[in-house]
Amino acid sequence: MDNDKTLFSSLKEVLDTFKLCLSENKEVYLEHYVAGWRGLVKFLNCLGSVFGFISKDAVNKIKILVTHMEGENGSQYVTVQSMVKYELDNELVDLTKRGIHPESGCRTLLRLHRALRWLELFLERLRTSNEDGKTSVMCSESYNESLAQHHPWMVRKAAGMAFCVLPGRPAFFEVMNVGPPEQVVAMLGEALPLISDVYQITEEFYAQHNMLDLP
Ligand SMILES: CCCCCCCC/C=C\CCCCCCCC(=O)N[C@@H](COP(=O)(O)O)[C@H](O)/C=C/CCCCCCCCCCCCC
């Protein structure tokens, strides 16, 4: 990711990546999931250096997943489902407290998965907002309803401060580079059900394996 010098083009292209995430039998492809997050991080970087600590954490997690995907057992890391099965069968996941597998694919993906819920809530608020809507408020409400519940006080505080510098809705839409506001709203309406599907399928799979609280 540090070597990824390609520039952010349009949020539509990024969100379209999530369309490719689901296989016919509703498995979640890691390659496209990771590509979606890469694009989102590029977008985040356009919003200013104040988001650097968030972007850095996301990049680290993407790198961990890519290392697994490109490693000698890469064939086990094609979908979320195959990764979970492989890591559980081979006892490669710390299930109750952090131990010898601090960088398992399962715990790393869980962090991004929780962030995907934040994204879903934020995009829905953005979609239904009016032109005076404050992105900082939408962002922090979505964060409080999702990710914040998993973050310590210091992280919540730093995130809250960063949200304050988010641009207003019109400038935010400009950075998204999708077109006029009606087009942005339509694009969000198309992207949201796909993101929601990816989130729900992952959530149910993690729940079935009692993995929603991995340390
Ligand atoms: C049209 C709207 C498009 C919005 C596009 C948003 C782009 C966002 C891009 C990336 C989001 C970052 C994802 C953050 C992953 C966070 C994972 C996490 O929870 N990490 C914490 C726990 O990790 P471990 O210690 O257990 O390994 C870690 O402590 C986190 C540190 C950084 C703070 C994370 C704050 C997350 C706030 C998410 C909102 C991003 C603000 C975007 C503003 C538009």
Side-chain angles (χ1 to χ4, degrees):
M1 192 71 197
D2 286 342
N3 300 324
D4 186 356
K5 301 283 184 230
T6 50
L7 290 174
F8 167 77
S9 50
S10 154
L11 202 78
K12 176 169 172 19
E13 270 177 37
V14 174
L15 297 183
D16 275 352
T17 315
F18 286 98
K19 268 189 200 161
L20 304 172
C21 274
L22 287 186
S23 73
E24 268 178 22
N25 59 343
K26 303 274 177 203
E27 296 206 3
V28 178
Y29 287 121
L30 281 173
E31 180 193 351
H32 300 299
Y33 193 91
V34 161
W37 279 109
R38 275 187 205 269
L40 288 170
V41 169
K42 278 190 209 165
F43 175 77
L44 187 63
N45 291 340
C46 296
L47 294 174
S49 54
V50 68
F51 296 100
F53 73 105
I54 301 177
S55 157
K56 200 170 161 190
D57 186 69
V59 167
N60 277 339
K61 289 182 169 49
I62 291 169
K63 273 188 184 161
I64 294 172
L65 289 175
V66 170
T67 302
H68 287 302
M69 289 156 66
E70 293 179 351
E72 57 180 325
N73 297 307
S75 60
Q76 311 288 347
Y77 289 82
V78 174
T79 64
V80 169
Q81 289 76 0
S82 67
M83 171 186 80
V84 167
K85 187 170 181 329
Y86 168 70
E87 290 196 343
L88 285 180
D89 287 353
N90 291 281
E91 300 183 5
L92 295 171
V93 190
D94 294 330
L95 293 171
T96 50
K97 60 177 170 57
R98 291 195 84 170
I100 55 173
H101 301 296
E103 298 200 336
S104 69
C106 289
R107 70 92 57 194
T108 303
L109 186 116
L110 177 62
R111 271 55 186 177
L112 294 177
H113 166 69
R114 290 169 177 164
L116 196 65
R117 175 66 181 152
W118 160 79
L119 182 70
E120 186 188 350
L121 294 170
F122 179 56
L123 295 182
E124 178 57 14
R125 280 182 166 82
L126 208 53
R127 187 183 75 83
T128 52
S129 63
N130 61 37
E131 60 189 71
D132 303 326
K134 287 199 179 324
T135 53
S136 54
V137 173
M138 296 180 229
C139 187
S140 85
E141 286 176 354
S142 309
Y143 175 72
N144 291 336
E145 278 178 32
S146 56
L147 269 179
Q149 292 156 25
H150 304 282
H151 288 166
W153 184 85
M154 274 297 282
V155 172
R156 292 202 306 268
K157 205 73 194 158
M161 282 160 68
F163 299 158
C164 290
V165 307
L166 281 171
R169 186 182 183 261
F172 195 88
F173 276 15
E174 290 270 315
V175 185
M176 287 168 73
N177 197 23
V178 171
E182 317 79 71
Q183 223 162 296
V184 176
V185 169
M187 184 280 287
L188 292 175
E190 279 172 32
L192 264 159
L194 301 162
I195 290 173
S196 174
D197 272 1
V198 171
Y199 177 81
Q200 281 310 329
I201 288 168
T202 309
E203 177 79 2
E204 279 162 28
F205 197 72
Y206 265 64
Q208 278 165 20
H209 292 85
N210 294 317
M211 294 208 313
L212 286 171
D213 293 309
L214 294 180

